[in-house]
Structures are given as structure tokens and as C-alpha cells.
Amino acid sequence: MGTNELYLKTLFCCSACDGEIAPEEVLLVKQISINDSTFEGLDVENTLNSYVDRINEQGSIFLKDYLSEVANSTLSDAEQIKLIEFAIKMIEADNQILYSEVKFFKKIRNRLSVSDDCILAKLQDSEDYLLPDISSEDKDLEEVGNFEQISFSEVQ
């Protein structure tokens, strides 16, 4: 899996981890795919829909597999910070920050090697996301599934 696909999967998993994919979250991915070259060469909408199919089939196992992919990735500090930035943007996209989303973010963070100081140097407003959490075990992931297909044409 390439870094750009890992970024896209990060956005998707951070959107789906609370059991709902909000229209604002789909809009964020659409805007990133239009305004940023990060996903250049990726069929973003079809890739997202393949994730929808897989998460509907696998539920929280899909999220656990994603976390394993993050743990086994060889990202530079800059790439890790970009992944964190995308995760935070997605969590904040619908203007409703849920504990399940922050808890999932902390699971991502625990799998990355970049220092908190390095993150805070680039993402000054992310300090609350870096605070320790009670549990970092994967067994407490929310059960997810039964999402509708994603269509960029339905969001503005």
C-alpha cells in the first residue's frame, strides 16, 4: 500500500470509527482530492467504496487491520505528521468530536514513532489529542458496519 492510499484509508477509518460517515466528512475527502495532489493517480471515490464494502463485511476487524498497516508502515516524520493532520481534520470535519473518534486517533498515534514535540511544532492546536488515554487496547474498538456507498456528487 502506498503512502497516499494509507492517507486515504486514514481519512476513511477516522470517519467510520464512530459508526457514521457524515456528509461533511465525505466533503472533506472530496475537497482534499480536488485541491491537493496527495491522491493524484488514485480513484478516490471507488477506493472509498471498496473500503465501505470491506468494513461492512468485516466490521471492526477492518479498523484493526488498518491499525496494523499503520504500525507496519515505514513513514518519515513528515509523512507521519501528515497522516496525523488528516486524522485530526477528519475527526473535526463534522464539528462533533466524539470520544470514540479521539480514542481511535490515540490508537493511531500509539503506532507512530514521531515525537509529540515534532507534532506540536507543526500542528500547534493538537495538544489535546496527544494526552494519554485510559486504554489503548484494540479489543475496545466500536463495532462498525452497514455504511452506504459514497458519492462525491451528493456533497457540495
Side-chain angles (χ1 to χ4, degrees):
M1 171 179 296
T3 303
N4 58 352
E5 191 173 346
L6 186 60
Y7 292 151
L8 183 59
K9 200 170 203 178
T10 297
L11 288 165
F12 176 79
C13 288
C14 288
S15 173
C17 72
D18 65 352
E20 177 187 6
I21 299 173
E24 299 91 344
E25 295 168 334
V26 175
L27 181 60
L28 174 65
V29 178
K30 180 180 179 180
Q31 289 171 337
I32 292 170
S33 65
I34 292 170
N35 301 324
D36 188 322
S37 64
T38 300
F39 303 131
E40 197 169 289
L42 268 182
D43 184 343
V44 174
E45 194 170 342
N46 282 334
T47 302
L48 289 173
N49 284 315
S50 74
Y51 296 158
V52 168
D53 292 341
R54 289 175 40 207
I55 201 167
N56 285 341
E57 291 170 13
Q58 301 172 347
S60 62
I61 292 170
F62 180 85
L63 298 176
K64 290 177 187 176
D65 288 347
Y66 160 76
L67 292 170
S68 293
E69 290 173 29
V70 171
N72 294 321
S73 66
T74 54
L75 301 173
S76 68
D77 283 359
E79 291 169 329
Q80 290 179 60
I81 289 170
K82 188 166 186 165
L83 186 142
I84 289 168
E85 182 179 14
F86 278 145
I88 291 171
K89 281 183 179 182
M90 183 55 74
I91 290 167
E92 295 175 348
D94 63 358
N95 296 313
Q96 184 180 16
I97 301 171
L98 301 175
Y99 176 68
S100 59
E101 295 169 317
V102 174
K103 186 169 67 171
F104 186 72
F105 172 83
K106 290 174 185 288
K107 292 176 189 316
I108 296 169
R109 172 67 188 105
N110 287 337
R111 286 156 176 82
L112 298 171
S113 61
V114 66
S115 72
D116 286 351
D117 290 338
C118 194
I119 294 168
L120 291 170
K122 294 285 186 181
L123 306 170
Q124 294 86 11
D125 295 334
S126 64
E127 189 170 3
D128 288 347
Y129 289 97
L130 303 177
L131 296 172
D133 200 17
I134 298 169
S135 172
S136 63
E137 295 184 29
D138 292 342
K139 65 183 178 189
D140 64 352
L141 286 170
E142 304 292 324
E143 195 53 49
V144 294
N146 300 317
F147 294 104
E148 298 291 322
Q149 292 289 297
I150 292 171
S151 174
F152 283 170
S153 63
E154 294 178 8
V155 294
Q156 306 271 345

